[in-house]
């Protein structure tokens, strides 16, 4: 393996750096998404709505704060906004809009946290083949240069440059595949998390709106 890397020439150094960066990002995101998958968001949403129905807002907030993941973080922001607005005698529609806006704004931050370091995989997937092709060009240049100096066809002289060209090309493609495939898988999972956030936020907003309307009707009686 070490001999192969050495034969690949100087461009194997940035390719090695790309592979290390991609591996680090891959491990980091795998552990993060694995932790996200362990959270049952449907049960979390149902429990929060039950607590809100019983007017146990503090317990609902504590539940969100103790549950990891972007969905619980967005719901916590909505609960905090709702709690602050309870003392304000506003219309149910204004309450709905403010809570929905607070969760919508924070969902951008939550999704950014989900997608963090995925840009490393994307960059490696784009850059590694370019490094490989550059190594191909420099290897061929080295082969033709050695051939011209030898003054005749010498398989040993030409072979070193061709080996450099092929090794860097293969390394670049392998590293790119190892980065692009996980990147697409993680992005698909991030999109599903985004949908879960939207569903959870919409469910909470509808519940809060109905409760506000019910409280307003009871206060008028």
């Amino acid at each position: 393996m070490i001999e192969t890397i050495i034969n690949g020439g100087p461009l194997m150094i940035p390719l090695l750096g790309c592979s290390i960066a991609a591996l680090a990002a891959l491990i980091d995101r795998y552990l993060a998404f694995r932790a996200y998958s362990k959270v049952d968001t449907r049960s979390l949403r149902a429990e929060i709505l039950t607590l809100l129905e019983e007017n146990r807002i503090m317990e609902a907030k504590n539940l969100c704060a103790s549950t990891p993941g972007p969905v619980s973080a967005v719901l916590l922001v909505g609960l905090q906004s709702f709690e602050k607005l309870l003392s304000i005698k506003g219309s149910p529609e204004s309450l709905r809009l403010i809570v929905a806006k607070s969760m919508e704004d924070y969902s951008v931050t939550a999704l950014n946290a989900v997608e963090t370091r995925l840009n490393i995989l994307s960059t490696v997937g784009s850059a590694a083949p370019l490094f490989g092709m550059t190594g191909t060009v420099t290897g061929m240049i080295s082969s033709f240069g050695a051939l011209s100096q030898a003054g005749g066809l010498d398989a040993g002289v030409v072979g070193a440059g061709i080996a450099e060209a092929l090794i860097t090309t293969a390394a670049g493609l392998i590293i790119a595949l190892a980065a692009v495939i996980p990147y697409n898988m993680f992005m698909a999972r991030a999109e599903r998390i985004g949908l879960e956030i939207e569903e959870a936020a919409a469910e909470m907003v509808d519940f809060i709106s109905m409760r506000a309307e019910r409280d307003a009707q009871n206060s008028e009686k």
Side-chain angles (χ1 to χ4, degrees):
M1 177 64 71
I2 296 178
E3 182 180 355
T4 301
I5 294 174
I6 294 174
N7 291 335
L11 281 172
M12 289 299 292
I13 296 175
L15 284 171
L16 184 60
C18 287
S19 65
I20 294 173
L23 180 61
L26 176 61
I27 294 173
D28 175 80
R29 288 300 85 196
Y30 170 77
L31 294 176
F33 282 106
R34 183 182 179 185
Y36 298 153
S37 65
K38 292 182 178 180
V39 178
D40 188 348
T41 56
R42 291 189 179 276
S43 297
L44 173 67
R45 288 156 52 182
E47 191 169 354
I48 289 173
L49 294 182
T50 300
L51 292 173
L52 287 178
E53 183 68 31
E54 298 172 357
N55 203 30
R56 297 156 64 187
I57 300 177
M58 182 58 66
E59 292 183 34
K61 287 171 54 182
N62 291 336
L63 176 61
C64 288
S66 61
T67 303
V71 176
S72 59
V74 172
L75 292 179
L76 177 59
V77 170
L79 289 172
Q80 291 172 339
S81 178
F82 175 59
E83 186 179 38
K84 292 178 182 178
L85 293 171
L86 280 179
S87 58
I88 302 176
K89 300 300 181 180
S91 65
E93 182 62 23
S94 63
L95 182 65
R96 173 190 178 94
L97 291 175
I98 293 173
V99 173
K101 180 64 175 173
S102 66
M103 288 194 288
E104 181 182 353
D105 291 342
Y106 188 76
S107 65
V108 177
T109 302
L111 283 176
N112 283 338
V114 170
E115 297 174 2
T116 185
R117 282 180 281 281
L118 289 182
N119 61 321
I120 296 176
L121 294 176
S122 176
T123 301
V124 169
S126 300
L130 297 178
F131 282 123
M133 286 187 290
T134 303
T136 301
V137 174
T138 57
M140 296 307 295
I141 291 174
S142 176
S143 292
F144 285 115
L147 185 62
S148 64
Q149 291 178 2
L153 183 59
D154 187 340
V157 173
V158 177
I162 295 177
E164 176 182 336
L166 295 178
I167 289 171
T168 53
T169 301
L173 293 175
I174 292 171
I175 293 170
L177 286 172
V180 169
I181 293 175
Y183 170 79
N184 289 327
M185 294 174 61
F186 288 147
M187 286 301 297
R189 180 67 181 115
E191 290 177 4
R192 290 197 295 271
I193 291 175
L195 292 176
E196 291 177 1
I197 290 175
E198 291 180 7
E199 291 177 0
E203 186 178 47
M204 177 176 285
V205 168
D206 290 340
F207 179 86
I208 288 174
S209 178
M210 288 189 296
R211 172 178 166 169
E213 291 177 359
R214 184 182 61 196
D215 292 344
Q217 291 174 356
N218 292 336
S219 63
E220 292 175 358
K221 296 180 181 179

